[in-house]
Amino acid sequence: MATSSRTLWKGAITFGLVHIPVGLHTASIEQGVDFDWLDKRSMDPVGYKRINKKTGKEIDKDNIVKGVEYEDGKYVVISPEEIEAVYPRTTQTIEIQRFIDANEIPFVFLERPYYVAPINKGQKVYALLREVLIKTGKVGLSKVVIATKQHLAVLVPSGKALVLNLLRWGDEVKTLEGLDLPAAGVKGANVTAAEMKMAEQLVGDMSGKWNPDDFKDEFKHAVMKIVDKKVKAGHTETVIQPEEESPGDSAQIIDLTELLARSLKSGKSAKAPAKGTASAKTDGKDKRPARKAAAKKASPAAKRKAA
């Protein structure tokens, strides 16, 4: 299993007056085989061109605008200034909106996990939040802005760590409408007692402990065997990638752990807001341009990936 990576984001978990300085680390990595395009004559990496799909001609980036399709074939053009004005304000906080039962969130909403680790003397309050979530069986439903994009997320205790799992928004998950599903319940699905007993026996025979190392991506391992064989035979090429700008450091977060005691003394604990009142702080401007995200979205196929 791969080790955790460098800190991607620095900020704080907040609820009530409690402020826990933390850093985010990726909890997952793409492990599929990535076939990059290379120019076979020079072994240079192959990118993409900005092509007018109707004329087939390359166009200058200054002639490209961003449009949103609101009906089939009909677009509204949005200027860079208009986009910048509505970027979610980067608050550098994982703002817990409410605490909910851990089993309330369907798996279909889970999107991407991040490990959350304490920084700047936040160890004790971090541990307190982790332990109270474990004891109460609750998770923290939160909002967070990462790289100018606002996310709904859930803060979940997992062993010694807190994991921030980004969630899909409600309108991003399809309903079950239109699916031909059997009726709920044994009787409703016309399952007999004998069939149920045999199915339970089969499940019992196939049951075991969770161990991710028991399962491998067979295609990836087969390709990497070919790669290893060619490396040992000296059949390799050197590709020089263009340099990229390194991201700037996040704003320094001040340790406010002592506010925990003040919260407890004043009785100002976090309460679940009334339904529909958990609003995001999306006003204001984020001055950071989304360079790579915009470029990537402009190209539907900068490179191919193996399924």
Side-chain angles (χ1 to χ4, degrees), residues 3-279:
T3 57
S4 185
S5 63
R6 63 182 177 84
T7 303
L8 297 177
W9 178 98
K10 290 182 180 180
I13 298 170
T14 64
F15 61 99
L17 294 180
V18 179
H19 178 107
I20 310 172
V22 296
L24 283 189
H25 304 258
T26 53
S28 61
I29 54 176
E30 294 291 336
Q31 287 283 37
V33 180
D34 192 358
F35 293 102
D36 290 334
W37 285 0
L38 303 173
D39 187 329
K40 69 178 182 180
R41 300 165 298 179
S42 61
M43 285 297 114
D44 293 328
V46 176
Y48 65 92
K49 290 184 178 181
R50 299 176 178 90
I51 300 295
N52 183 313
K53 293 182 179 180
K54 186 175 181 180
T55 65
K57 295 181 179 179
E58 184 177 359
I59 61 175
D60 189 88
K61 65 178 181 179
D62 293 335
N63 290 323
I64 296 176
V65 295
K66 294 182 178 180
V68 177
E69 188 175 26
Y70 67 96
E71 287 182 7
D72 189 21
K74 295 184 177 180
Y75 286 79
V76 169
V77 174
I78 308 294
S79 70
E81 293 76 19
E82 289 173 316
I83 294 173
E84 183 180 356
V86 296
Y87 267 143
R89 183 163 57 91
T90 303
T91 59
Q92 296 301 114
T93 58
I94 300 168
E95 187 177 352
I96 297 178
Q97 305 285 306
R98 67 183 66 170
F99 293 99
I100 62 175
D101 290 339
N103 59 1
E104 276 194 61
I105 301 177
F107 286 116
V108 70
F109 280 87
L110 301 180
E111 185 172 19
R112 184 185 308 156
Y114 289 91
Y115 290 129
V116 182
I119 58 175
N120 297 345
K121 301 179 181 179
Q123 297 273 344
K124 187 173 182 179
V125 187
Y126 177 97
L128 177 58
L129 176 59
R130 179 192 65 202
E131 296 305 316
V132 76
L133 290 178
I134 293 173
K135 185 173 182 178
T136 60
K138 300 287 186 180
V139 293
L141 193 60
S142 313
K143 285 185 177 178
V144 61
V145 176
I146 301 175
T148 74
K149 184 176 180 180
Q150 187 182 60
H151 298 273
L152 185 65
V154 61
L155 199 61
V156 183
S158 178
K160 295 194 299 182
L162 287 172
V163 173
L164 185 76
N165 204 313
L166 302 187
L167 301 176
R168 296 177 176 89
W169 297 99
D171 57 3
E172 294 178 334
V173 176
K174 294 183 178 181
T175 66
L176 300 179
E177 185 179 355
L179 299 181
D180 185 15
L181 302 174
V186 174
K187 291 184 178 179
N190 294 321
V191 175
T192 67
E195 290 168 335
M196 192 67 177
K197 184 177 180 179
M198 286 188 292
E200 289 177 355
Q201 183 178 346
L202 179 58
V203 169
D205 292 342
M206 295 181 64
S207 294
K209 297 291 185 180
W210 160 245
N211 183 2
D213 293 332
D214 289 342
F215 304 93
K216 306 292 183 184
D217 182 341
E218 296 177 3
F219 174 73
K220 185 195 78 171
H221 283 274
V223 172
M224 293 313 297
K225 282 184 179 180
I226 298 174
V227 172
D228 291 340
K229 184 177 180 179
K230 291 196 172 189
V231 168
K232 290 177 181 178
H235 300 158
T236 63
E237 302 289 349
T238 299
V239 177
I240 300 176
Q241 295 288 347
E243 292 186 2
E244 296 181 359
E245 296 181 13
S246 57
D249 293 335
S250 300
Q252 180 67 30
I253 301 299
I254 301 173
D255 180 21
L256 298 177
T257 302
E258 66 274 9
L259 284 182
L260 174 66
R262 287 171 53 185
S263 293
L264 294 175
K265 288 181 180 179
S266 64
K268 291 186 177 181
S269 58
K271 293 182 179 180
K275 186 176 181 181
T277 61
S279 59

